[in-house]
Structures are given as structure tokens and as C-alpha cells.
Amino acid sequence: MDDDTVIRALYDKYRRPLYGYVLRSVGGDRQYAEDIVQETMARAWSHASELDPDRAGRWLFTVARNLVISGHRKQAARVTEVPIDDREFAALGDDIDHVLQVWQVIEVMRGLSHDHRQVIVELFYKRRTVNEAAVVLGVPPGTVKSRSYYALHALRAALEERGVTGS
């Protein structure tokens, strides 16, 4: 896929969610939000050969987040008499950090075996009991327990490798 095709695909897929995220992050300043999105896409263009449009969301949101934070820092340096409210600045990181962690969990889940992934989905996403999951999966409850044990260990190890820690 050539660079122009990659950028068009990124723009079509991520422009609106990226704009919405940035708009909330900059307090509703539409022009500034559009500038951030455009700068994010310009940086994506310079890395187009490395980006896969189906998996570039985390990268794009991280770039946008860093641009917003950088903008806040520049503004704080210029206007010293009006400090940034700490609660507002902390909330900025909370949303995107959560989104990034979810994407990382999804990627790690794809790397689990089919059986382990099924057990995790049944127990933790569908909130079934061990016995309910056993019935749905057609295996004994002991197998569900064993698979969940090994699946959680594999999931935890893969997430730790990526620097994602539980909070």
C-alpha cells in the first residue's frame, strides 16, 4: 500500500474519533482541535510506511495526546498568572491511557490460543461463572479453571512485557 493510500485510510478511519477526543481535551476549541488533528496526520504521513491503517489508532491517539500536552505546557509557560487546573490536566491522561490499555489488551488477547481466549471472554467479559462457562464451552468445570489459570498468566506476562500494569 503506498503512502497516499495509507494516509487516506488513516484519515477516513480515525479523523472523527481523533477530532472528538482532541476537542474534549482542548476544552471545545474547534480550531485548535483541528490544528492538532492535522498535525497528527502530518506526522502520520512522515511514518506512513510503518503504519497499518487497521492498527494505527493507538499511535495516532498517542501523538495527538502528546501534542495536546505540549500545547498545554507552552500555554502555561506563556500565561503564568492562570495555572492549569490539576484535575483537568489529570483527566486528559485518564481517558487516553484507558483507551491505549484497552487496545493493548485486545492485541494481547489475539495472541492467546483460541481455547484460552474463549475462557477469558466467557469468565471476564460475559461474566459467567465457571459452571456456566463450562456448559457454554462444552468442557468440564476443571478444564475451565485450568485454562483460565494459564490464560491469565499468559495475558499478564504479555501485558507486563508491553509495560501495561494493573492499577
Side-chain angles (χ1 to χ4, degrees), residues 13-14 51-60 62 99-113 117 125 154-155 158-159 161-162 164:
K13 184 172 184 174
Y14 296 106
L51 295 174
D52 174 5
D54 293 329
R55 294 183 174 216
R58 180 176 47 174
W59 187 91
L60 290 168
T62 300
V99 170
L100 294 174
Q101 282 183 352
V102 167
W103 273 331
Q104 288 178 337
V105 169
I106 289 169
E107 285 182 23
V108 169
M109 287 282 291
R110 286 183 183 139
L112 295 178
S113 73
R117 190 171 45 249
Y125 289 97
L155 189 62
L159 289 171
E161 267 183 33
R162 294 169 177 253
V164 179

Side-chain angles (χ1 to χ4, degrees), residues 4 31 43-44 48 63 94 97 118-119 136 142 160 165:
D4 289 339
Q31 184 59 51
R43 291 183 184 195
V63 169
D94 292 345
D97 287 342
Q118 277 186 312
V119 166
V136 170
E160 285 175 357
T165 58

